[in-house]
Amino acid sequence: MKLVIFGLGYSAGFFARAALAKGWEVTGTVRSAEKAGELSKQGLHTLVFGGFAVSTPLAKILAEADAVLVSAQPDENGDPVLGALAEKLAVAEKLRWIGYLSTIGVYGDHGGAWIDETADCRPTSRRSRQRLEIEQDWLAFGERSGKPVQIFRLSGIYGPGRNPITKLRAGTATRLVKPGQVFNRIHVDDIAGVLMASIEKPRAGAIYNVTDDEPAPPQDVVSFAAEVSGLAPPPETPFDPAKLSPMAASFYGENKRVSNALVKRELGYAFRYPEYRQALRDLAAAGG
């Protein structure tokens, strides 16, 4: 199995290592030679791709790929992978799966209601509007080319080195209290697991919510992280958008409970961390 990952960042890196553990041949891309060198030393075959030029090695690897994951950040022109590589992807004969990592931010605000993949998308931020446009571009490419494109809408990502415990230790954790507010989250191990399950059962045009079972108030998650790590929780602070950055305020302006039922039903995936408590216990035991 030959997998190409565009944008070998935090989440995609965990997926790459899971694929390597299964004996797959994995090539990832990053935007700088320095980053490529660092990841190559860790055993990840990494090339530089900036969205404007395609090297001969990358073109050859892409032509032989069985699966492609797109985790690259959009630029001002949209998705750099689709913009530069649509023609090469369309003629890649072995390619049987394309995954695009998007965000549940495309749904916008739903007043705390439960929603699934059939819910209206009404994104409020520019970045989420762009993500929705890119999703549509990828799905249209799949229809034109006959390649099976899947969209994965990720909720708030956490895992080793990036979680409430690490924020508590760094002194950056907060407990903002906005009555009725919940956030959705997903552990990186489960992102990798869902992607693996999808590669086993590709469905052209599929859209999946990748999120755990339990949307929860953010202050509760921080309190539990403090409890299991033996750290002092920060004081509770009433929500005041005037004291937040525009990006943070926009997060609190959206409230929804996102269902993962389709992933379970269609892919038969059993979440390793269906809620945050066991994940935080494991993270605390491993040192964060």
Side-chain angles (χ1 to χ4, degrees):
M1 186 75 170
K2 295 183 178 181
L3 169 67
V4 178
I5 299 175
F6 288 94
L8 198 56
Y10 182 74
S11 300
F14 278 83
F15 179 52
R17 291 173 179 86
L20 287 172
K22 292 172 69 73
W24 295 7
E25 186 176 312
V26 181
T27 299
T29 75
V30 291
R31 291 180 181 266
S32 74
E34 181 181 5
K35 184 68 173 178
E38 291 175 4
L39 291 173
S40 294
K41 289 177 183 177
Q42 298 174 25
L44 292 169
H45 182 216
T46 312
L47 299 173
V48 177
F49 171 71
F52 48 82
V54 183
S55 66
T56 299
L58 179 56
K60 182 177 184 298
I61 289 167
L62 194 58
E64 299 173 352
D66 297 290
V68 167
L69 178 69
V70 181
S71 183
Q73 290 296 312
D75 58 28
E76 62 274 10
N77 298 314
D79 182 73
V81 179
L82 191 56
L85 295 172
E87 292 184 6
K88 288 181 170 57
L89 289 166
V91 299
E93 294 184 358
K94 294 177 62 181
L95 189 56
R96 62 180 183 85
W97 184 89
I98 298 173
Y100 179 73
L101 299 188
S102 186
T103 169
I104 62 168
V106 300
Y107 292 116
D109 180 43
H110 283 262
W114 278 100
I115 61 171
D116 62 16
E117 291 83 354
T118 66
D120 289 340
C121 289
R122 41 194 190 223
T124 55
S125 68
R126 186 193 64 79
R127 65 184 181 280
S128 293
R129 288 194 296 270
Q130 185 187 44
R131 285 287 189 177
L132 184 59
E133 291 171 0
I134 293 173
E135 285 187 10
Q136 293 165 347
D137 290 343
W138 271 110
L139 292 171
F141 166 79
E143 291 181 1
R144 290 194 310 271
S145 66
K147 300 299 183 185
V149 173
Q150 284 85 187
I151 305 295
F152 300 90
R153 292 173 175 166
L154 310 183
S155 59
I157 302 164
Y158 72 104
R162 187 179 296 186
N163 58 72
I165 297 171
T166 57
K167 288 184 178 180
L168 283 163
R169 288 182 175 144
T172 59
T174 60
R175 285 197 297 165
L176 294 180
V177 179
K178 182 182 180 184
Q181 178 75 48
V182 296
F183 287 140
N184 304 267
R185 58 194 51 78
I186 185 68
H187 192 285
V188 284
D189 285 350
D190 281 316
I191 295 174
V194 170
L195 294 176
M196 288 289 186
S198 172
I199 289 176
E200 294 298 320
K201 296 181 179 180
R203 175 169 67 85
I207 297 175
Y208 299 108
N209 294 330
V210 185
T211 188
D212 72 14
D213 292 353
E214 189 178 343
Q219 68 271 17
D220 291 0
V221 180
V222 174
S223 295
F224 189 80
E227 178 183 331
V228 297
S229 61
L231 298 168
E236 289 191 346
T237 305
F239 173 75
D240 182 354
K243 296 181 179 179
L244 300 178
S245 69
M247 180 172 286
S250 72
F251 287 138
Y252 276 86
E254 297 180 4
N255 194 16
K256 51 189 170 280
R257 291 171 166 84
V258 180
S259 170
N260 60 19
L262 181 62
V263 161
K264 294 178 179 177
R265 183 173 68 249
E266 188 169 292
L267 300 181
Y269 182 69
F271 282 77
R272 179 176 179 183
Y273 294 112
E275 44 80 25
Y276 64 88
R277 296 173 191 83
Q278 187 57 51
L280 290 176
R281 290 189 189 99
D282 288 356
L283 288 165

